Amino acid sequence: HPQPLSRSTKNNTTMAGGKIQKKRHGGGGARLQGGIPFEKSKGQHILRNPALVDSIIAKAGLKPTDTVLEIGPGTGNLTKRLLEAGVKAVVAVELDPRMVLELSRRFQGHPLSSRLKVIQGDVLKCDLPYFDICVANIPYQISSPLTFKLLSHRPIFRCAVIMFQREFAMRLVAQPGDTLYCRLSVNVQLLSRVSHLLKVGRNNFRPPPKVDSSVVRIEPRKPLPPVSFKEWDGLVRICFNRKNKTLGSLFKQKRVLELLEKNYKTMQSLQLAQDSGTGEEKMSPYDVALLANMVEDLSMETSDEKEDDDMEMDDADAADGRTSFKEKIMGILQQGDFAEKRSSKLSQVDFLYLLSLFNKAGIHFS
């Protein structure tokens, strides 16, 4: 769903990937067969390469019993192939009423039309129905919130095969040590297995977007890891504030220590410092859905970390008793041999172990 345009860009259109282009008044621009122009502000870049559509269908691993969720069907090129693949049903969610009308015209009288249901609405705002597989060529500006909305959906689906902007896709699949490894990588990979399937050049679309694309497969983990997602993201947010600094340096920051000490005292007063439950699923769909709002900072973080004005705690703070708490935090980091390590090189297992060490010591991040 496109973001509202600011006054300074009211005569511009937002491109997929956040690019801005001057509106052309008068003719020009790609159009549907009926003469309706595509709206780039809605991310309308229609797949025109039949071989690519077939490849996406093949990668989805469809079964005759599957209900497929398609997001942004456009003129129905992918929709048609999904129906012809013999699935039980296709549920297509489309924001643009003109495209909904085009779909109804295209499939009117089609022998498989009874298997197609079209929902007109904003996929980020509407309640999604049950589905087994999601196949989508989405507007790139909704990549981050849509990914986490899908991962918070219950019951858990089997897999999603989605076209993303190339750089966003490479962040999803980035591994420790990669330049693009970031909070987005860590959070999505906690919840799912992600794999890169296809590179897609911009000329496969009409009209061509300004950026290249990639098709990614996302398979939700079953069961979810036994961790509170709010806790997890609280830890990862601190660690990736400056991902190339050592954890020892990050956790000496006065702001971080104040936050953790406040949480520590609160949990102690509630007598909840130690969670006695084991093996249960602590991560709720609500936890995951919280991430759907973290669009800007999660989706396109740069490898150059933000400058941080936070100062390390100095000797003047010793008088108020924070020195002992700082030593407690440093002791936890040293216990797991994390003090000299950097977030950019840590794996999922490393972060889960670090969080468990903090939690066992009564240190919480939410």
Side-chain angles (χ1 to χ4, degrees), residues 8 11 68 157 249 340 349:
S8 62
N11 292 322
V68 180
F157 56 96
S249 296
E340 297 302 317
V349 173

Side-chain angles (χ1 to χ4, degrees), residues 111 288 310:
V288 182
D310 283 343

Side-chain angles (χ1 to χ4, degrees), residues 223-227 275-283:
L224 288 171
V227 60
D275 189 338
S276 58
T278 57
E280 58 187 287
E281 185 178 294
K282 299 180 186 177
M283 190 186 304

Side-chain angles (χ1 to χ4, degrees), residues 56-118:
I56 291 172
I57 296 291
K59 300 283 186 183
L62 301 173
K63 299 178 181 179
T65 54
D66 282 342
T67 295
V68 180
L69 174 68
E70 185 186 6
I71 300 165
T75 56
N77 294 340
L78 187 57
T79 315
K80 180 173 180 289
R81 290 294 293 114
L82 286 168
L83 290 169
E84 292 170 350
V87 297
K88 179 181 177 183
V90 175
V91 181
V93 182
E94 174 57 60
L95 178 66
D96 190 343
R98 304 169 312 146
M99 295 294 184
V100 172
L101 183 60
E102 179 70 15
L103 281 171
S104 64
R105 285 174 178 165
R106 179 169 185 173
F107 293 101
Q108 187 174 16
H110 192 285
L112 298 175
S113 61
S114 62
R115 298 185 184 181
L116 174 63
K117 178 181 179 182
V118 181

Side-chain angles (χ1 to χ4, degrees), residues 6 14 37 61-62 74 90 113 127 140 149 195 220 253 266 283 295-296 304-305 332 342 345 358 365:
S6 66
T14 305
L62 301 173
V90 175
S113 61
D127 292 330
Y140 293 152
K149 175 161 185 169
S195 52
Q253 292 174 3
T266 301
M283 190 186 304
V295 187
E296 295 301 327
D304 299 323
E305 304 84 9
I332 295 168
R342 291 165 170 78
K345 303 290 177 65
F358 276 119
F365 293 84

Side-chain angles (χ1 to χ4, degrees), residues 229-244:
F229 201 83
K230 291 164 73 175
E231 284 264 359
W232 168 270
D233 190 59
L235 169 65
V236 171
R237 184 183 290 267
I238 292 171
C239 291
F240 277 92
N241 184 41
R242 298 188 68 180
K243 68 178 183 181
N244 290 315

Side-chain angles (χ1 to χ4, degrees), residues 14-20 140-141 165:
T14 305
M15 297 288 293
K19 305 285 186 183
I20 302 295
Y140 293 152
Q141 53 265 50
Q165 179 181 340

